[in-house]
Amino acid sequence: MTDFITIKDIERAAEAISSRIEIKPEVGMILGSGLGDLADSVKNAVVIPNRLIPGWPLSTVHGHKGRLVIGELEGVNVIVLQGRSHFYEGYSMGRITLPVRVMQTLGCSKLIVTNAAGAINPDFVPGDLMLLTDHLNLIGMGGANPLKGPNLDEFGVRFPDMSQPYDKELLKLARETCEEAKIPYQQGVYAALAGPSFETPAELRFLNIIGADAVGMSTVHEVIVARHGGMCVLGISGISNKANLDGSTVTTHEEVLEAGKVLVPKLTTLVRGFLSKI
Ligand code: HPA
């Protein structure tokens, strides 16, 4: 299936947003499962339902509100995706990363990307925040890279470097924020699988062996498109459940959403503190 996003698609979506706002967003934010309430902190917010934006991938998943919130947070102009769409919903990689292209077109130079993730690292527990230091793009390794198809030269090169998917300076600021606010944090490698089925115990043991600390069904394709277009990225996982490496427990979406309630206050403190530093 080909569904390659064109410059025209991106411009049409960007225009639907810019015609409704008066500010120029500097930082884009994508809020993962159960983490959308962070957008409630945005001041002077303009809220745009996703269905008003042409070509936007509409979320079908409970726990994703499906709207954009544009306004000010800690003095920084932000555009927040309150809920994202996923590959498993049937969209192409190009389509689910259209929001990142639009953020770039609107002028964002930084992206904060968040997700709910299962802990593979045995030291992590539900409720932990993990700052992403790197990722394993297992969906992309299987061929579904978001940059597949004609290269959009206006944004970046055909073969973009990925030696620093998560910006070291932004990571340092995030660590400092956590330390100042006394929020415990973990750091690690996020592995992305397509989902929507959760992993089998053998798949989780495999992920453990190849160096994953957490697993989820999003984020990495957004980060690749962000880096292709020259954005600096901060990635944060909210650990929602322990991965079930021995098959003794069951993982559910309800559990993931429930953990969001514990994670949102910590994530809000981290993001606000971080924004106040940039
Ligand atoms: N696996 C995959 N995705 C997830 C998980 C998980 O355990 N928890 C939250 N998102």
Side-chain angles (χ1 to χ4, degrees):
M1 189 183 74
T2 55
D3 178 24
F4 301 132
I5 299 300
T6 64
I7 296 291
K8 260 214 168 72
D9 296 327
I10 297 164
E11 282 172 356
R12 251 199 306 266
E15 165 60 23
I17 297 165
S18 59
S19 63
R20 290 177 166 89
I21 59 174
E22 278 165 17
I23 59 167
K24 183 173 167 311
E26 303 154 67
V27 174
M29 261 190 252
I30 303 179
L31 303 180
S33 299
L35 306 176
D37 288 353
L38 170 57
D40 296 343
S41 313
V42 175
K43 297 225 170 66
N44 304 322
V46 173
V47 177
I48 308 176
N50 290 347
R51 66 184 155 73
L52 299 184
I53 311 169
W56 208 258
L58 302 179
S59 175
T60 60
V61 183
H62 179 53
H64 291 261
K65 276 200 173 132
R67 57 192 205 172
L68 280 173
V69 180
I70 301 134
E72 212 183 288
L73 198 53
E74 298 299 323
V76 179
N77 289 340
V78 294
I79 174 164
V80 186
L81 236 74
Q82 206 174 17
R84 60 153 67 82
S85 297
H86 302 81
F87 189 55
Y88 61 73
E89 291 173 81
Y91 296 109
S92 68
M93 276 293 172
R95 185 66 53 189
I96 55 174
T97 51
L98 172 70
V100 178
R101 289 298 188 208
V102 169
M103 287 172 174
Q104 290 166 344
T105 303
L106 293 173
C108 295
S109 59
K110 296 183 184 66
L111 176 68
I112 303 175
V113 67
T114 72
N115 57 58
I120 291 175
N121 187 318
D123 295 337
F124 295 2
V125 292
D128 276 355
L129 290 179
M130 182 187 92
L131 302 175
L132 274 65
T133 53
D134 205 340
H135 68 220
L136 286 158
N137 181 14
L138 294 168
I139 321 174
M141 287 178 189
N145 190 294
L147 302 179
K148 183 175 160 184
N151 185 52
L152 299 178
D153 298 330
E154 294 84 347
F155 287 94
V157 296
R158 172 76 288 187
F159 301 106
D161 173 66
M162 282 296 146
S163 60
Q164 208 181 122
Y166 303 92
D167 188 83
K168 288 207 165 69
E169 276 306 306
L170 298 188
L171 253 173
K172 187 163 161 260
L173 288 181
R175 278 196 298 265
E176 281 169 16
T177 307
C178 286
E179 278 151 23
E180 282 162 21
K182 303 205 180 340
I183 304 171
Y185 66 93
Q186 309 282 5
Q187 297 188 87
V189 175
Y190 174 91
L193 302 182
S197 49
F198 288 113
E199 303 70 37
T200 68
E203 286 165 349
L204 289 165
R205 290 193 297 272
F206 163 74
L207 293 175
N208 190 27
I209 289 166
I210 63 171
D213 293 294
V215 59
M217 305 172 190
S218 67
T219 302
V220 299
H221 33 278
E222 296 154 353
V223 173
I224 289 168
V225 170
R227 294 297 299 129
H228 178 253
M231 289 172 113
C232 296
V233 180
L234 175 70
I236 311 168
S237 286
I239 299 298
S240 57
N241 56 289
K242 270 212 175 254
N244 174 23
L245 270 70
D246 62 3
S248 62
T249 55
V250 171
T251 305
T252 66
H253 186 55
E254 287 64 37
E255 178 184 13
V256 172
L257 295 184
E258 201 52 36
K261 293 183 190 152
V262 181
L263 285 159
V264 165
K266 289 191 209 177
L267 188 65
T268 305
T269 307
L270 166 54
V271 169
R272 293 185 79 136
F274 173 81
L275 287 175
S276 70
K277 286 178 187 286
I278 61 173

